[in-house]
Amino acid sequence: MAQAPRILKTKVGIIGGGPAGLMLSHLLSKVGIENIVVEKNDHETIRNTHRAGILEAQAVTMLTESGVDGRVLTHGDEHAGIDLRFNGESHPLDFRELVDATVTLYAQNEVFVDLAAARSRDGGDVRFNCEVNEILDVETSTPKFRFTNAEGELFEVQADVIVGADGSRSFARRQMPDAVKQDFKVTYPFAWFGILTEAPKSAPELIYANSPHGFALISQRSETVQRMYFQCDPNENVDNWSEDRIWSELQKRVDGPDGFELKTGPIFDKTVLGFRSFVRQPLSHGRMFLIGDAGHTVPPTGAKGLNLAFAEVKVLFEALDSYFSTGSDKLLGGYSDLALKRVWKAQNFFYWMTSMLHTPVNADPFMAQRALGELDTVTSSRYGQQYLAESYTGWPHA
Ligand SMILES: Cc1cc2nc3c(=O)[nH]c(=O)nc-3n(C[C@H](O)[C@H](O)[C@H](O)COP(=O)(O)OP(=O)(O)OC[C@H]3O[C@@H](n4cnc5c(N)ncnc54)[C@H](O)[C@@H]3O)c2cc1C
């Protein structure tokens, strides 16, 4: 006989304990809206997964003003610009001067650690090692999902609202019927080869380099750990790349008459990151709402993924707060349209930055020169620089 699930009742059932799910849970608990977060992985696994690193100022404010933690201010590294490098020359953009804004380098692992600690400190109900494998009745006023814990026990969360915050391979997203959904996707013909290295900073600001050998990003993690990427084939095998070969490839892409040289060190993480854009429309169905990577994937040029997730958390939190305090579902009804506006702006910004900075495989010389013309246009115009600075540091939250 099938095992009868143990019933857990709450107001908001959240699937996924990444940054989006935990931040929403934190904000809801602050205003007394009961919620349960169910996360497939254990704390250690998520803490040790290297992903995003660039936070818009508004994401930083969400962490500090909502009382998650101020560690982002003490351990994060505020950056007031980037360097666009092409034709072997540096073109610094000063975000503070251009649009009075900055970004902060603070690894997603640290954001996760802070959020998980805040949920634990505040008595939040976050269940790690528990995988959701069934979602029921989202078209009714009593949606539910079921999950199994590490001991194999079955639970059913009965809620007023279900939130899919379960990342790019979202189980929640797959439960939406074909008749209501539309998917937009593009797969790009290149990827990023990413490394983490124990080395000093090569430069004070992030360098986005267009070179005849392809794109490179030189970014920083701390005084002693650096993150760097270079454009590669999506099928590239990291095992074919020795440290010497990686450093020579990266150096080639930032070489120039100014003699700029990367500071090297032991490499302790190598990964190939495929480029795929994806958007699900709408971001809600019945009483189920999608936030963060569950609803979209934006490849990392432009660093929008985690920032979009936080922007959506804010919009959905306000809609849920209004719903539970007034009974009106007007804001919930507008969630998807409002969130999607920012998603498409982010997709466009990613696409624009990528096409301007990357050299396509077997690039037509005309296209490669056109991209250089575009970089020249942007860097030699204050309006162009401001457009990039405004998009990079983040449009105002809705
Ligand atoms: C290499 C890399 C670099 C990046 N750089 C940047 C950057 O600089 N700036 C930026 O803003 N973004 C960046 N991103 C994107 C960013 O990491 C994501 O957008 C961000 O993780 C989205 O958060 P999320 O909470 O929506 O999803 P996730 O972090 O993926 O969290 C989803 C969670 O749901 C859980 N889950 C999945 N299925 C289930 C299930 N069935 N039951 C229970 N739990 C489940 C998963 O285990 C996971 O913990 C980068 C991504 C990568 C891969």
Side-chain angles (χ1 to χ4, degrees):
M1 204 170 68
Q3 185 190 2
R6 284 167 61 184
I7 306 298
L8 304 168
K9 288 186 191 278
T10 190
K11 286 200 159 68
V12 183
I14 302 173
I15 307 169
L22 290 181
M23 180 53 108
L24 180 66
S25 167
H26 170 71
L27 295 179
L28 291 171
S29 293
K30 267 176 63 92
V31 296
I33 300 173
E34 246 181 33
N35 62 86
I36 296 176
V37 179
V38 176
E39 165 57 48
K40 174 169 81 170
N41 279 311
D42 58 74
H43 186 285
E44 275 309 286
T45 304
I46 308 178
R47 195 172 78 89
N48 291 316
T49 306
H50 300 289
R51 298 179 78 183
I54 303 170
L55 297 181
E56 294 172 358
Q58 295 166 108
V60 173
T61 306
M62 277 177 79
L63 288 168
T64 52
E65 288 191 355
S66 72
V68 172
D69 201 284
R71 231 162 51 94
V72 62
L73 299 177
T74 51
H75 291 61
D77 202 1
E78 190 178 17
H79 281 248
I82 59 170
D83 185 354
L84 288 178
R85 193 169 167 88
F86 57 98
N87 289 329
E89 285 174 7
S90 280
H91 301 264
L93 264 62
D94 182 340
F95 294 160
R96 202 177 264 131
E97 190 272 323
L98 288 163
V99 292
D100 195 21
T102 60
V103 293
T104 296
L105 260 62
Y106 189 60
Q108 182 167 327
N109 324 33
E110 305 297 340
V111 174
F112 167 77
V113 167
D114 293 352
L115 281 164
R119 293 314 296 125
S120 165
R121 176 197 68 200
D122 300 342
D125 189 345
V126 180
R127 298 173 187 230
F128 288 100
N129 264 320
C130 291
E131 180 160 4
V132 172
N133 40 35
E134 201 175 356
I135 298 179
L136 303 157
D137 303 334
V138 294
E139 287 161 0
T140 73
S141 58
T142 53
K144 320 166 174 63
F145 61 75
R146 291 181 175 178
F147 70 88
T148 318
N149 68 10
E151 288 72 44
E153 295 167 306
L154 183 66
F155 291 81
E156 180 173 288
V157 174
Q158 300 183 348
D160 294 316
V161 170
I162 286 176
V163 177
D166 50 349
S168 59
R169 295 203 173 90
S170 173
F171 175 76
R173 180 177 77 221
R174 278 182 271 135
Q175 309 314 304
M176 285 169 65
D178 288 346
V180 303
K181 70 183 192 197
Q182 194 175 9
D183 287 343
F184 300 84
K185 23 185 162 176
V186 184
T187 302
Y188 301 94
F190 50 79
W192 277 8
F193 193 116
I195 60 157
L196 280 164
T197 174
E198 273 168 42
K201 291 179 180 174
S202 289
E205 299 295 6
L206 277 78
I207 301 173
Y208 287 78
N210 168 310
S211 87
H213 308 284
F215 169 77
L217 170 59
I218 310 303
S219 78
Q220 303 82 9
R221 271 285 151 99
S222 68
E223 290 303 325
T224 53
V225 173
Q226 315 306 326
R227 184 76 149 143
M228 302 184 191
Y229 299 94
F230 60 87
Q231 177 192 337
C232 69
D233 186 278
N235 299 315
E236 198 60 75
N237 179 354
V238 294
D239 296 335
N240 294 338
W241 287 78
S242 66
E243 293 206 358
D244 283 351
R245 189 174 172 213
I246 291 172
W247 286 120
S248 136
E249 191 62 42
L250 278 164
Q251 182 60 46
K252 248 182 3 192
R253 298 177 186 214
V254 294
D255 269 343
D258 59 3
F260 175 69
E261 258 188 57
L262 291 173
K263 297 204 167 73
T264 61
I267 293 170
F268 61 90
D269 187 76
K270 300 189 270 187
T271 180
V272 170
L273 180 64
F275 265 43
R276 190 176 73 97
S277 280
F278 171 81
V279 182
R280 159 64 55 87
Q281 286 189 188
L283 293 173
S284 61
H285 176 57
R287 288 292 187 93
M288 182 172 79
F289 297 83
L290 302 178
I291 51 174
D293 280 15
H296 44 74
T297 305
V298 188
T301 335
K304 286 292 170 228
L306 178 56
N307 293 301
L308 265 185
F310 271 19
E312 279 153 25
V313 165
K314 186 161 185 288
V315 175
L316 186 59
F317 161 69
E318 282 167 8
L320 287 168
D321 191 21
S322 158
Y323 175 66
F324 286 111
S325 56
T326 69
S328 162
D329 59 6
K330 188 163 174 264
L331 293 185
L332 278 178
Y335 164 73
S336 177
D337 285 350
L338 192 53
L340 281 166
K341 276 190 178 197
R342 195 179 182 96
V343 172
W344 282 113
K345 282 167 92 165
Q347 293 286 10
N348 177 58
F349 180 60
F350 143 77
Y351 192 92
W352 177 63
M353 286 281 278
T354 303
S355 56
M356 185 165 69
L357 288 161
H358 291 64
T359 311
V361 183
N362 302 322
D364 183 323
F366 177 89
M367 295 310 284
Q369 290 301 319
R370 186 212 61 80
L372 291 172
E374 189 168 19
L375 279 161
D376 197 20
T377 309
V378 171
T379 52
S380 59
S381 149
R382 182 168 174 82
Y383 297 116
Q385 292 183 27
Q386 278 180 321
Y387 172 76
L388 193 153
E390 181 189 39
S391 306
Y392 194 99
T393 55
W395 311 282
H397 277 175

PDB file of all heavy atoms in Angstrom, residues 74-79 105 197-205 219-228 263-265 268:
ATOM      1  N   THR A  74      31.140  44.162   4.674  1.00  0.00           N
ATOM      2  CA  THR A  74      32.490  44.033   5.235  1.00  0.00           C
ATOM      3  C   THR A  74      33.364  43.089   4.407  1.00  0.00           C
ATOM      4  O   THR A  74      34.566  43.283   4.307  1.00  0.00           O
ATOM      5  CB  THR A  74      32.426  43.509   6.685  1.00  0.00           C
ATOM      6  OG1 THR A  74      31.604  42.335   6.699  1.00  0.00           O
ATOM      7  CG2 THR A  74      31.862  44.553   7.619  1.00  0.00           C
ATOM      8  N   HIS A  75      32.754  42.044   3.805  1.00  0.00           N
ATOM      9  CA  HIS A  75      33.546  41.071   3.047  1.00  0.00           C
ATOM     10  C   HIS A  75      33.410  41.240   1.532  1.00  0.00           C
ATOM     11  O   HIS A  75      34.201  40.687   0.780  1.00  0.00           O
ATOM     12  CB  HIS A  75      33.149  39.640   3.417  1.00  0.00           C
ATOM     13  CG  HIS A  75      33.556  39.267   4.814  1.00  0.00           C
ATOM     14  ND1 HIS A  75      33.087  39.928   5.926  1.00  0.00           N
ATOM     15  CD2 HIS A  75      34.408  38.320   5.276  1.00  0.00           C
ATOM     16  CE1 HIS A  75      33.624  39.401   7.004  1.00  0.00           C
ATOM     17  NE2 HIS A  75      34.430  38.424   6.647  1.00  0.00           N
ATOM     18  N   GLY A  76      32.375  41.954   1.093  1.00  0.00           N
ATOM     19  CA  GLY A  76      32.202  42.189  -0.345  1.00  0.00           C
ATOM     20  C   GLY A  76      33.166  43.266  -0.814  1.00  0.00           C
ATOM     21  O   GLY A  76      33.689  44.043  -0.018  1.00  0.00           O
ATOM     22  N   ASP A  77      33.380  43.304  -2.117  1.00  0.00           N
ATOM     23  CA  ASP A  77      34.332  44.260  -2.683  1.00  0.00           C
ATOM     24  C   ASP A  77      33.558  45.176  -3.629  1.00  0.00           C
ATOM     25  O   ASP A  77      33.119  44.739  -4.699  1.00  0.00           O
ATOM     26  CB  ASP A  77      35.389  43.422  -3.450  1.00  0.00           C
ATOM     27  CG  ASP A  77      36.682  44.164  -3.623  1.00  0.00           C
ATOM     28  OD1 ASP A  77      36.762  45.299  -3.134  1.00  0.00           O
ATOM     29  OD2 ASP A  77      37.594  43.607  -4.264  1.00  0.00           O
ATOM     30  N   GLU A  78      33.365  46.425  -3.211  1.00  0.00           N
ATOM     31  CA  GLU A  78      32.582  47.358  -4.034  1.00  0.00           C
ATOM     32  C   GLU A  78      33.407  47.790  -5.248  1.00  0.00           C
ATOM     33  O   GLU A  78      34.577  48.143  -5.112  1.00  0.00           O
ATOM     34  CB  GLU A  78      32.185  48.576  -3.204  1.00  0.00           C
ATOM     35  CG  GLU A  78      31.173  49.453  -3.908  1.00  0.00           C
ATOM     36  CD  GLU A  78      30.745  50.646  -3.065  1.00  0.00           C
ATOM     37  OE1 GLU A  78      31.433  50.981  -2.097  1.00  0.00           O
ATOM     38  OE2 GLU A  78      29.711  51.253  -3.433  1.00  0.00           O
ATOM     39  N   HIS A  79      32.792  47.740  -6.425  1.00  0.00           N
ATOM     40  CA  HIS A  79      33.484  48.134  -7.652  1.00  0.00           C
ATOM     41  C   HIS A  79      32.719  49.267  -8.325  1.00  0.00           C
ATOM     42  O   HIS A  79      31.516  49.173  -8.531  1.00  0.00           O
ATOM     43  CB  HIS A  79      33.594  46.961  -8.628  1.00  0.00           C
ATOM     44  CG  HIS A  79      34.699  46.025  -8.261  1.00  0.00           C
ATOM     45  ND1 HIS A  79      35.832  45.876  -9.018  1.00  0.00           N
ATOM     46  CD2 HIS A  79      34.845  45.220  -7.191  1.00  0.00           C
ATOM     47  CE1 HIS A  79      36.639  45.014  -8.423  1.00  0.00           C
ATOM     48  NE2 HIS A  79      36.053  44.594  -7.321  1.00  0.00           N
ATOM     49  N   LEU A 105      31.329  42.791  -5.590  1.00  0.00           N
ATOM     50  CA  LEU A 105      31.734  41.403  -5.814  1.00  0.00           C
ATOM     51  C   LEU A 105      31.603  40.656  -4.496  1.00  0.00           C
ATOM     52  O   LEU A 105      32.318  40.961  -3.523  1.00  0.00           O
ATOM     53  CB  LEU A 105      33.187  41.346  -6.324  1.00  0.00           C
ATOM     54  CG  LEU A 105      33.321  41.170  -7.833  1.00  0.00           C
ATOM     55  CD1 LEU A 105      32.702  42.335  -8.574  1.00  0.00           C
ATOM     56  CD2 LEU A 105      34.777  41.020  -8.240  1.00  0.00           C
ATOM     57  N   THR A 197      41.530  30.810  -9.305  1.00  0.00           N
ATOM     58  CA  THR A 197      42.979  30.686  -9.098  1.00  0.00           C
ATOM     59  C   THR A 197      43.410  31.396  -7.824  1.00  0.00           C
ATOM     60  O   THR A 197      42.825  32.427  -7.454  1.00  0.00           O
ATOM     61  CB  THR A 197      43.746  31.276 -10.316  1.00  0.00           C
ATOM     62  OG1 THR A 197      45.132  31.279 -10.038  1.00  0.00           O
ATOM     63  CG2 THR A 197      43.323  32.693 -10.632  1.00  0.00           C
ATOM     64  N   GLU A 198      44.393  30.803  -7.171  1.00  0.00           N
ATOM     65  CA  GLU A 198      44.997  31.471  -6.007  1.00  0.00           C
ATOM     66  C   GLU A 198      46.075  32.392  -6.533  1.00  0.00           C
ATOM     67  O   GLU A 198      47.211  31.965  -6.778  1.00  0.00           O
ATOM     68  CB  GLU A 198      45.629  30.443  -5.080  1.00  0.00           C
ATOM     69  CG  GLU A 198      44.668  29.866  -4.072  1.00  0.00           C
ATOM     70  CD  GLU A 198      45.267  28.666  -3.377  1.00  0.00           C
ATOM     71  OE1 GLU A 198      46.453  28.728  -3.029  1.00  0.00           O
ATOM     72  OE2 GLU A 198      44.533  27.688  -3.238  1.00  0.00           O
ATOM     73  N   ALA A 199      45.713  33.628  -6.761  1.00  0.00           N
ATOM     74  CA  ALA A 199      46.664  34.593  -7.333  1.00  0.00           C
ATOM     75  C   ALA A 199      46.260  35.985  -6.870  1.00  0.00           C
ATOM     76  O   ALA A 199      45.104  36.210  -6.493  1.00  0.00           O
ATOM     77  CB  ALA A 199      46.606  34.520  -8.868  1.00  0.00           C
ATOM     78  N   PRO A 200      47.206  36.934  -6.899  1.00  0.00           N
ATOM     79  CA  PRO A 200      46.813  38.311  -6.577  1.00  0.00           C
ATOM     80  C   PRO A 200      45.957  38.898  -7.688  1.00  0.00           C
ATOM     81  O   PRO A 200      45.901  38.333  -8.787  1.00  0.00           O
ATOM     82  CB  PRO A 200      48.151  39.050  -6.462  1.00  0.00           C
ATOM     83  CG  PRO A 200      49.217  38.110  -6.880  1.00  0.00           C
ATOM     84  CD  PRO A 200      48.624  36.777  -7.211  1.00  0.00           C
ATOM     85  N   LYS A 201      45.319  40.036  -7.407  1.00  0.00           N
ATOM     86  CA  LYS A 201      44.511  40.695  -8.440  1.00  0.00           C
ATOM     87  C   LYS A 201      45.407  41.137  -9.590  1.00  0.00           C
ATOM     88  O   LYS A 201      46.488  41.675  -9.356  1.00  0.00           O
ATOM     89  CB  LYS A 201      43.835  41.946  -7.860  1.00  0.00           C
ATOM     90  CG  LYS A 201      42.755  41.648  -6.858  1.00  0.00           C
ATOM     91  CD  LYS A 201      42.162  42.953  -6.323  1.00  0.00           C
ATOM     92  CE  LYS A 201      41.079  42.633  -5.309  1.00  0.00           C
ATOM     93  NZ  LYS A 201      40.545  43.819  -4.624  1.00  0.00           N
ATOM     94  N   SER A 202      44.903  40.945 -10.821  1.00  0.00           N
ATOM     95  CA  SER A 202      45.661  41.409 -11.993  1.00  0.00           C
ATOM     96  C   SER A 202      45.354  42.867 -12.287  1.00  0.00           C
ATOM     97  O   SER A 202      46.134  43.553 -12.962  1.00  0.00           O
ATOM     98  CB  SER A 202      45.301  40.576 -13.226  1.00  0.00           C
ATOM     99  OG  SER A 202      45.833  39.288 -13.110  1.00  0.00           O
ATOM    100  N   ALA A 203      44.191  43.322 -11.840  1.00  0.00           N
ATOM    101  CA  ALA A 203      43.775  44.703 -12.106  1.00  0.00           C
ATOM    102  C   ALA A 203      42.759  45.094 -11.033  1.00  0.00           C
ATOM    103  O   ALA A 203      42.111  44.223 -10.449  1.00  0.00           O
ATOM    104  CB  ALA A 203      43.131  44.805 -13.485  1.00  0.00           C
ATOM    105  N   PRO A 204      42.594  46.396 -10.783  1.00  0.00           N
ATOM    106  CA  PRO A 204      41.644  46.790  -9.739  1.00  0.00           C
ATOM    107  C   PRO A 204      40.179  46.554 -10.136  1.00  0.00           C
ATOM    108  O   PRO A 204      39.345  46.274  -9.295  1.00  0.00           O
ATOM    109  CB  PRO A 204      41.917  48.287  -9.544  1.00  0.00           C
ATOM    110  CG  PRO A 204      42.674  48.730 -10.754  1.00  0.00           C
ATOM    111  CD  PRO A 204      43.363  47.535 -11.327  1.00  0.00           C
ATOM    112  N   GLU A 205      39.852  46.686 -11.440  1.00  0.00           N
ATOM    113  CA  GLU A 205      38.461  46.513 -11.878  1.00  0.00           C
ATOM    114  C   GLU A 205      38.345  45.314 -12.813  1.00  0.00           C
ATOM    115  O   GLU A 205      39.342  44.832 -13.352  1.00  0.00           O
ATOM    116  CB  GLU A 205      37.959  47.767 -12.611  1.00  0.00           C
ATOM    117  CG  GLU A 205      37.954  49.042 -11.789  1.00  0.00           C
ATOM    118  CD  GLU A 205      36.981  49.016 -10.615  1.00  0.00           C
ATOM    119  OE1 GLU A 205      36.363  47.964 -10.347  1.00  0.00           O
ATOM    120  OE2 GLU A 205      36.854  50.068  -9.947  1.00  0.00           O
ATOM    121  N   SER A 219      38.166  38.747 -13.606  1.00  0.00           N
ATOM    122  CA  SER A 219      37.451  39.314 -12.465  1.00  0.00           C
ATOM    123  C   SER A 219      38.114  38.884 -11.169  1.00  0.00           C
ATOM    124  O   SER A 219      38.985  38.013 -11.159  1.00  0.00           O
ATOM    125  CB  SER A 219      35.970  38.945 -12.501  1.00  0.00           C
ATOM    126  OG  SER A 219      35.764  37.643 -12.057  1.00  0.00           O
ATOM    127  N   GLN A 220      37.670  39.515 -10.091  1.00  0.00           N
ATOM    128  CA  GLN A 220      38.325  39.309  -8.807  1.00  0.00           C
ATOM    129  C   GLN A 220      37.355  38.665  -7.831  1.00  0.00           C
ATOM    130  O   GLN A 220      36.153  38.885  -7.912  1.00  0.00           O
ATOM    131  CB  GLN A 220      38.783  40.661  -8.217  1.00  0.00           C
ATOM    132  CG  GLN A 220      39.708  41.463  -9.118  1.00  0.00           C
ATOM    133  CD  GLN A 220      38.970  42.277 -10.181  1.00  0.00           C
ATOM    134  OE1 GLN A 220      37.742  42.376 -10.152  1.00  0.00           O
ATOM    135  NE2 GLN A 220      39.688  42.845 -11.124  1.00  0.00           N
ATOM    136  N   ARG A 221      37.881  37.881  -6.921  1.00  0.00           N
ATOM    137  CA  ARG A 221      37.069  37.334  -5.831  1.00  0.00           C
ATOM    138  C   ARG A 221      37.507  37.921  -4.495  1.00  0.00           C
ATOM    139  O   ARG A 221      36.696  38.234  -3.641  1.00  0.00           O
ATOM    140  CB  ARG A 221      37.201  35.808  -5.783  1.00  0.00           C
ATOM    141  CG  ARG A 221      36.188  35.063  -6.658  1.00  0.00           C
ATOM    142  CD  ARG A 221      34.802  35.079  -6.027  1.00  0.00           C
ATOM    143  NE  ARG A 221      33.749  35.016  -7.009  1.00  0.00           N
ATOM    144  CZ  ARG A 221      33.092  33.921  -7.358  1.00  0.00           C
ATOM    145  NH1 ARG A 221      33.388  32.788  -6.801  1.00  0.00           N
ATOM    146  NH2 ARG A 221      32.117  33.980  -8.244  1.00  0.00           N
ATOM    147  N   SER A 222      38.830  38.005  -4.312  1.00  0.00           N
ATOM    148  CA  SER A 222      39.375  38.566  -3.059  1.00  0.00           C
ATOM    149  C   SER A 222      40.814  38.977  -3.356  1.00  0.00           C
ATOM    150  O   SER A 222      41.266  38.913  -4.504  1.00  0.00           O
ATOM    151  CB  SER A 222      39.334  37.500  -1.954  1.00  0.00           C
ATOM    152  OG  SER A 222      40.248  36.465  -2.270  1.00  0.00           O
ATOM    153  N   GLU A 223      41.541  39.344  -2.314  1.00  0.00           N
ATOM    154  CA  GLU A 223      42.950  39.716  -2.522  1.00  0.00           C
ATOM    155  C   GLU A 223      43.762  38.515  -3.019  1.00  0.00           C
ATOM    156  O   GLU A 223      44.774  38.666  -3.690  1.00  0.00           O
ATOM    157  CB  GLU A 223      43.576  40.234  -1.211  1.00  0.00           C
ATOM    158  CG  GLU A 223      43.040  41.589  -0.761  1.00  0.00           C
ATOM    159  CD  GLU A 223      43.202  42.702  -1.806  1.00  0.00           C
ATOM    160  OE1 GLU A 223      44.208  42.693  -2.524  1.00  0.00           O
ATOM    161  OE2 GLU A 223      42.298  43.565  -1.902  1.00  0.00           O
ATOM    162  N   THR A 224      43.303  37.290  -2.681  1.00  0.00           N
ATOM    163  CA  THR A 224      44.123  36.098  -2.971  1.00  0.00           C
ATOM    164  C   THR A 224      43.470  35.108  -3.940  1.00  0.00           C
ATOM    165  O   THR A 224      44.116  34.160  -4.366  1.00  0.00           O
ATOM    166  CB  THR A 224      44.425  35.347  -1.658  1.00  0.00           C
ATOM    167  OG1 THR A 224      43.173  35.108  -0.997  1.00  0.00           O
ATOM    168  CG2 THR A 224      45.346  36.129  -0.747  1.00  0.00           C
ATOM    169  N   VAL A 225      42.187  35.294  -4.244  1.00  0.00           N
ATOM    170  CA  VAL A 225      41.490  34.374  -5.153  1.00  0.00           C
ATOM    171  C   VAL A 225      40.859  35.163  -6.291  1.00  0.00           C
ATOM    172  O   VAL A 225      40.180  36.161  -6.053  1.00  0.00           O
ATOM    173  CB  VAL A 225      40.407  33.564  -4.407  1.00  0.00           C
ATOM    174  CG1 VAL A 225      39.584  32.736  -5.380  1.00  0.00           C
ATOM    175  CG2 VAL A 225      41.035  32.654  -3.361  1.00  0.00           C
ATOM    176  N   GLN A 226      41.105  34.700  -7.535  1.00  0.00           N
ATOM    177  CA  GLN A 226      40.573  35.413  -8.704  1.00  0.00           C
ATOM    178  C   GLN A 226      39.757  34.468  -9.581  1.00  0.00           C
ATOM    179  O   GLN A 226      40.008  33.267  -9.618  1.00  0.00           O
ATOM    180  CB  GLN A 226      41.723  36.018  -9.532  1.00  0.00           C
ATOM    181  CG  GLN A 226      42.786  36.717  -8.702  1.00  0.00           C
ATOM    182  CD  GLN A 226      42.233  37.785  -7.756  1.00  0.00           C
ATOM    183  OE1 GLN A 226      41.260  38.464  -8.072  1.00  0.00           O
ATOM    184  NE2 GLN A 226      42.839  37.923  -6.583  1.00  0.00           N
ATOM    185  N   ARG A 227      38.747  35.059 -10.280  1.00  0.00           N
ATOM    186  CA  ARG A 227      37.885  34.323 -11.189  1.00  0.00           C
ATOM    187  C   ARG A 227      38.162  34.829 -12.597  1.00  0.00           C
ATOM    188  O   ARG A 227      38.119  36.054 -12.818  1.00  0.00           O
ATOM    189  CB  ARG A 227      36.429  34.614 -10.798  1.00  0.00           C
ATOM    190  CG  ARG A 227      35.379  33.861 -11.559  1.00  0.00           C
ATOM    191  CD  ARG A 227      35.307  32.476 -11.095  1.00  0.00           C
ATOM    192  NE  ARG A 227      34.036  31.826 -11.167  1.00  0.00           N
ATOM    193  CZ  ARG A 227      33.939  30.543 -11.491  1.00  0.00           C
ATOM    194  NH1 ARG A 227      34.992  29.842 -11.840  1.00  0.00           N
ATOM    195  NH2 ARG A 227      32.770  29.949 -11.467  1.00  0.00           N
ATOM    196  N   MET A 228      38.453  33.945 -13.533  1.00  0.00           N
ATOM    197  CA  MET A 228      38.697  34.382 -14.920  1.00  0.00           C
ATOM    198  C   MET A 228      37.987  33.434 -15.877  1.00  0.00           C
ATOM    199  O   MET A 228      37.795  32.252 -15.559  1.00  0.00           O
ATOM    200  CB  MET A 228      40.192  34.384 -15.226  1.00  0.00           C
ATOM    201  CG  MET A 228      40.967  35.274 -14.276  1.00  0.00           C
ATOM    202  SD  MET A 228      42.705  35.380 -14.704  1.00  0.00           S
ATOM    203  CE  MET A 228      43.352  36.178 -13.235  1.00  0.00           C
ATOM    204  N   LYS A 263      48.468  38.285 -13.488  1.00  0.00           N
ATOM    205  CA  LYS A 263      49.193  37.693 -12.349  1.00  0.00           C
ATOM    206  C   LYS A 263      48.667  36.264 -12.197  1.00  0.00           C
ATOM    207  O   LYS A 263      47.448  36.054 -12.070  1.00  0.00           O
ATOM    208  CB  LYS A 263      48.946  38.513 -11.102  1.00  0.00           C
ATOM    209  CG  LYS A 263      49.488  39.940 -11.241  1.00  0.00           C
ATOM    210  CD  LYS A 263      49.763  40.547  -9.877  1.00  0.00           C
ATOM    211  CE  LYS A 263      50.571  41.813  -9.969  1.00  0.00           C
ATOM    212  NZ  LYS A 263      49.854  42.960 -10.468  1.00  0.00           N
ATOM    213  N   THR A 264      49.565  35.309 -12.245  1.00  0.00           N
ATOM    214  CA  THR A 264      49.141  33.908 -12.275  1.00  0.00           C
ATOM    215  C   THR A 264      49.333  33.240 -10.914  1.00  0.00           C
ATOM    216  O   THR A 264      49.987  33.778 -10.023  1.00  0.00           O
ATOM    217  CB  THR A 264      49.935  33.130 -13.336  1.00  0.00           C
ATOM    218  OG1 THR A 264      51.310  33.182 -12.970  1.00  0.00           O
ATOM    219  CG2 THR A 264      49.762  33.741 -14.719  1.00  0.00           C
ATOM    220  N   GLY A 265      48.760  32.035 -10.801  1.00  0.00           N
ATOM    221  CA  GLY A 265      48.883  31.252  -9.566  1.00  0.00           C
ATOM    222  C   GLY A 265      48.258  29.894  -9.800  1.00  0.00           C
ATOM    223  O   GLY A 265      47.739  29.628 -10.897  1.00  0.00           O
ATOM    224  N   PHE A 268      42.535  26.116  -9.019  1.00  0.00           N
ATOM    225  CA  PHE A 268      41.919  25.041  -8.231  1.00  0.00           C
ATOM    226  C   PHE A 268      40.493  24.707  -8.672  1.00  0.00           C
ATOM    227  O   PHE A 268      39.846  23.851  -8.092  1.00  0.00           O
ATOM    228  CB  PHE A 268      41.960  25.352  -6.726  1.00  0.00           C
ATOM    229  CG  PHE A 268      41.218  26.594  -6.311  1.00  0.00           C
ATOM    230  CD1 PHE A 268      39.888  26.534  -5.951  1.00  0.00           C
ATOM    231  CD2 PHE A 268      41.861  27.819  -6.274  1.00  0.00           C
ATOM    232  CE1 PHE A 268      39.198  27.671  -5.555  1.00  0.00           C
ATOM    233  CE2 PHE A 268      41.186  28.971  -5.879  1.00  0.00           C
ATOM    234  CZ  PHE A 268      39.859  28.896  -5.521  1.00  0.00           C
TER     235      PHE A 268
END
